[in-house]
Amino acid sequence: MVDSILSENKEKWLESMIQIKNRVIGNNKQKDEIIHQGVIPRLLQWIIDEDIPVELRTESAIVLGSLAKGTPENINCLVDSGCVAVLLKGLSSNNVKFIEACLRCLRTIFLSENSPLDQIYQDPTVIPHLINILSKSFCTQECITTIFSNCCKTAEHQNALSRNGAIAALAPLLCSSSYKVQMPTLKCFAVLCYENESVSKAAATATYNGESIPNLLLRLLSRDKPSEMQMAAAKCLTYLCRGGAIPTHCPTIQNKTLSTLIRMCKKDRTLEENVEGAETLAYLIEEDATLQTLASISDHIIKTLADYLRYTSVQQINTRSTNKKVVNWSNELKQAAFRAFASLGANDEEIRKKIIETENLMEHIVNGMNCSDLKVQMGAVRCLHSLSRSVQQLRTTFQDHTVWKPLMNLMNNGSKDLLPVASSTLCNLLLEFSPGKERPTSESPRLSVSQKNKACLEAGAINILAKLTSRPEGNLRLNGIWGLMNMAFQADLSVKVQIVDVIGTDQLFQLLSDPDPAVLIKTLGLIRNLLAGRTDIDHLMKIYGNQIMQAVVFILEGEHVAEIKEQTLCILTNVADGDEAKEYIMGNEDVLKKLMAYMVHTNVKLQIAATSCISNLVWNEQEGAYNRQAKLRDLGIQKLLQQLLSANDTVLFDKVKTALQQFT
């Protein structure tokens, strides 16, 4: 048969092709044999040659489609042979059966994991032509929507499809009588709108037969529709909502989409729907407190998700997957539950409390962080991050579990994708990093806070956070400096010194020039926390005083928002609280003049901060107060304070009154 195909005997070509087609169907061994004998170039040659009878060209495309349904290696051979470009060119034919054969092969190729997506977008005529032939038959509709849904991976892809009229062309297919057309169309709308505001709004305003696309999708949520169709329609509406095209208070979202997703999480649904329902629910409610509250009281969703964590059957075939992959459903359900819990508890303390009351939840989270599955690790950390927003839980539930151990292990050895949320979680956990909150161990079997702090330090928390401050990613630098700021709050002097030693003064002061204002604010917050407690202030100013004062002047003279200037003035207030450190301000007339300028600033918060610093400088119970008062009186500061007695702001008035009372 192969010899006949490779020969020049045209009379035997078609008969041999049909024989090969029948031989390779469902037989991977035969597919491999045919490929190894060099048949692919011959078939591509026939497909592209318009002088070849269309029946033979069609059979050639069918055989290529069959070969593509073999192993991933088969698809690689087809792609490497230039199959995609040839099949795309074949779509310009007028013969519908030939077009369908080409599309079926292309669909199989683009459903594979390593499909050549860019080939769809390289030639600007391909997408318009695919849209143009979309309506030729159910087969063309099914294949093209499947190709689009699997080739749309980036914002550029979404915009290219939208720009070429995909939305208007796909809208009628939502009303198709063919399930095989509706399902890939729904998937296509989902991938088109995902995290793309402009495309989402274009889809939400498009109509077909006078009905908007959201209304067409709403019909598909009906309970008389197949379950997987309801799920797919709910996902589309979720993405339209998150894309800003449908408001969260809309009944379509609150009454229909939300309830559908919660229903998909029930035991009577398939495992695929359980996972997809929980993941989509998590995404829908992630940023909206009202939806989180509605979801939390709907159909026992917290208890339903808790059951996910106890699922033990490990591996089953994913019936929806094209490649029929074996899936670890225990892990899939766990990560989906963690993500849903994270979204549910993002804002409300009562919801967090209900979630934490889930049996053995913290053990599940710790086990999840120790799991080798990246999705489970990510879900567990997200869940922990959401729950760690609760100061109450940090002081109670979190004290019973060493969640920071696996968390820091992930930061040291885990995927870099985990770093943003893991480092943010560590920042929250470090809010309770305070030796002043130690409880007697005789009252409770829990570790005391100071014991945990010691263990946390020994695990290298300072090193981890200090390294983050040097990362190129702004969010990681922010989390690093934020964590150190929390760690320095009410910390022992030894911890403060360790923080400065590890991060290094060069890096610390370099962060004061960071382009991200949030990083600058937290860096100032760290310095402020380091300079707290009279003994600590004097000790640290002896070592780093000149650098700190240079940094203060640098910020006060720069073009910064009031919040940054206020933090800087608060640092000076702390310096002024030291016994010996005061002299760094008193001996710097430039800084004193700056304080005077901020005392009469138009921003009342800056006035309050500057006045507080003056109050500390002239505090009459401290040694040398008389001389400091005399110097500041000569500079006119006492007179300025007297002028400020007419201030309308009560906080400023009280600060001014207190400062004036110190002058003797």
Side-chain angles (χ1 to χ4, degrees), residues 16 27 96 110 119 121 154 163 168 195 257 267 269 277 279 318 395 418 423 443 459 471 516 608 660:
S16 297
N27 191 324
V96 175
F110 284 112
Q119 292 196 37
Y121 302 95
T154 67
R163 193 168 54 245
E195 294 189 343
T257 307
K267 283 183 179 179
R269 304 292 169 167
E279 288 178 340
N318 183 345
R395 291 175 179 172
L418 290 164
S423 55
E443 293 180 11
R471 295 284 299 228
D516 184 350
I608 291 168
L660 279 171

Side-chain angles (χ1 to χ4, degrees), residues 413-434:
N413 306 308
S415 166
K416 63 179 182 180
D417 296 333
L418 290 164
L419 265 182
V421 67
S423 55
S424 186
T425 306
L426 184 59
C427 287
N428 289 348
L429 297 182
L430 290 171
L431 282 171
E432 281 300 286
F433 188 95
S434 171

Side-chain angles (χ1 to χ4, degrees), residues 1 144 183 222 256 273 304 320 333 409 440 478 567 575 631-632:
M1 290 181 293
I144 291 172
M183 286 305 294
S222 173
K256 297 293 185 179
E273 286 164 354
T304 300
R320 284 198 201 163
L333 287 164
N409 181 52
L478 176 61
Q567 280 289 326
V575 171
K631 181 171 182 177
L632 297 184

Side-chain angles (χ1 to χ4, degrees), residues 567-609:
Q567 280 289 326
T568 310
L569 290 170
C570 288
I571 290 173
L572 283 178
T573 301
N574 285 14
V575 171
D577 191 41
D579 288 325
E580 300 171 9
K582 284 180 172 62
E583 295 309 313
Y584 281 95
I585 299 175
M586 293 303 300
N588 191 327
E589 200 160 309
D590 179 44
V591 171
L592 290 172
K593 286 180 179 178
K594 283 180 170 56
L595 285 170
M596 292 174 67
Y598 282 109
M599 286 172 67
V600 293
H601 198 277
T602 54
N603 187 303
V604 70
K605 288 185 177 180
L606 298 183
Q607 288 182 284
I608 291 168

Side-chain angles (χ1 to χ4, degrees), residues 317-352:
I317 297 293
N318 183 345
T319 55
R320 284 198 201 163
S321 172
T322 312
N323 301 320
K324 297 290 184 273
K325 284 186 174 179
V326 175
V327 176
N328 185 324
W329 286 109
S330 176
N331 283 352
E332 285 296 306
L333 287 164
K334 282 185 176 68
Q335 64 85 23
F338 285 141
R339 288 174 63 177
F341 279 145
S343 292
L344 282 165
N347 290 289
D348 189 271
E349 190 66 34
E350 285 304 308
I351 299 175
R352 289 190 198 113

Side-chain angles (χ1 to χ4, degrees), residues 379-491:
V381 175
R382 280 182 176 174
C383 185
L384 182 64
H385 178 249
S386 179
L387 299 177
S388 70
R389 289 173 176 155
S390 165
V391 175
Q392 180 186 352
Q393 299 304 333
L394 284 174
R395 291 175 179 172
T396 54
T397 307
F398 280 63
Q399 295 292 346
D400 293 327
H401 301 87
T402 52
V403 293
W404 50 267
K405 281 185 177 179
L407 183 66
M408 288 203 285
N409 181 52
L410 287 177
M411 291 179 68
N412 272 325
N413 306 308
S415 166
K416 63 179 182 180
D417 296 333
L418 290 164
L419 265 182
V421 67
S423 55
S424 186
T425 306
L426 184 59
C427 287
N428 289 348
L429 297 182
L430 290 171
L431 282 171
E432 281 300 286
F433 188 95
S434 171
K437 297 170 186 153
E438 181 176 355
R439 65 174 60 80
T441 53
S442 59
E443 293 180 11
S444 167
R446 298 169 176 168
L447 282 174
S448 69
V449 176
S450 64
Q451 286 175 305
K452 287 198 168 192
N453 292 348
K454 184 179 178 183
C456 197
L457 285 169
E458 289 173 353
I462 294 177
N463 286 321
I464 291 171
L465 294 167
K467 283 179 183 176
L468 290 180
T469 65
S470 300
R471 295 284 299 228
E473 303 92 341
N475 61 335
L476 294 182
R477 291 199 306 279
L478 176 61
N479 288 346
I481 200 68
W482 200 332
L484 291 172
M485 183 188 80
N486 288 347
M487 187 172 267
F489 180 67
Q490 295 184 359

Side-chain angles (χ1 to χ4, degrees), residues 43-77:
L43 303 187
L44 295 177
Q45 180 187 348
W46 286 343
I47 288 172
I48 209 167
D49 188 348
E50 295 181 3
D51 294 330
I52 297 292
V54 72
E55 189 178 0
L56 179 57
R57 296 172 73 197
T58 302
E59 291 294 338
S60 299
I62 291 171
V63 169
L64 288 175
S66 182
L67 295 177
K69 289 182 178 178
T71 63
E73 289 73 22
N74 291 1
I75 291 181
N76 291 338
C77 286

Side-chain angles (χ1 to χ4, degrees), residues 12-114:
K12 291 188 176 183
W13 285 350
L14 182 58
E15 180 186 350
S16 297
M17 278 303 302
I18 294 172
Q19 288 178 331
I20 285 179
K21 178 181 72 175
N22 294 334
R23 185 69 67 87
V24 299
I25 289 175
N27 191 324
N28 281 355
K29 189 175 181 181
Q30 288 293 331
K31 296 182 202 292
D32 291 341
E33 189 66 27
I34 291 296
I35 291 172
H36 290 147
Q37 291 197 39
V39 170
I40 291 176
R42 185 63 152 178
L43 303 187
L44 295 177
Q45 180 187 348
W46 286 343
I47 288 172
I48 209 167
D49 188 348
E50 295 181 3
D51 294 330
I52 297 292
V54 72
E55 189 178 0
L56 179 57
R57 296 172 73 197
T58 302
E59 291 294 338
S60 299
I62 291 171
V63 169
L64 288 175
S66 182
L67 295 177
K69 289 182 178 178
T71 63
E73 289 73 22
N74 291 1
I75 291 181
N76 291 338
C77 286
L78 291 172
V79 172
D80 293 343
S81 301
C83 182
V84 173
V86 170
L87 291 169
L88 287 172
K89 192 170 183 181
L91 299 179
S92 59
S93 170
N94 293 322
N95 186 287
V96 175
K97 285 191 175 180
F98 175 57
I99 290 173
E100 289 177 349
C102 291
L103 283 172
R104 281 194 292 267
C105 184
L106 285 167
R107 176 185 61 182
T108 303
I109 290 173
F110 284 112
L111 280 170
S112 67
E113 291 184 356
N114 298 316

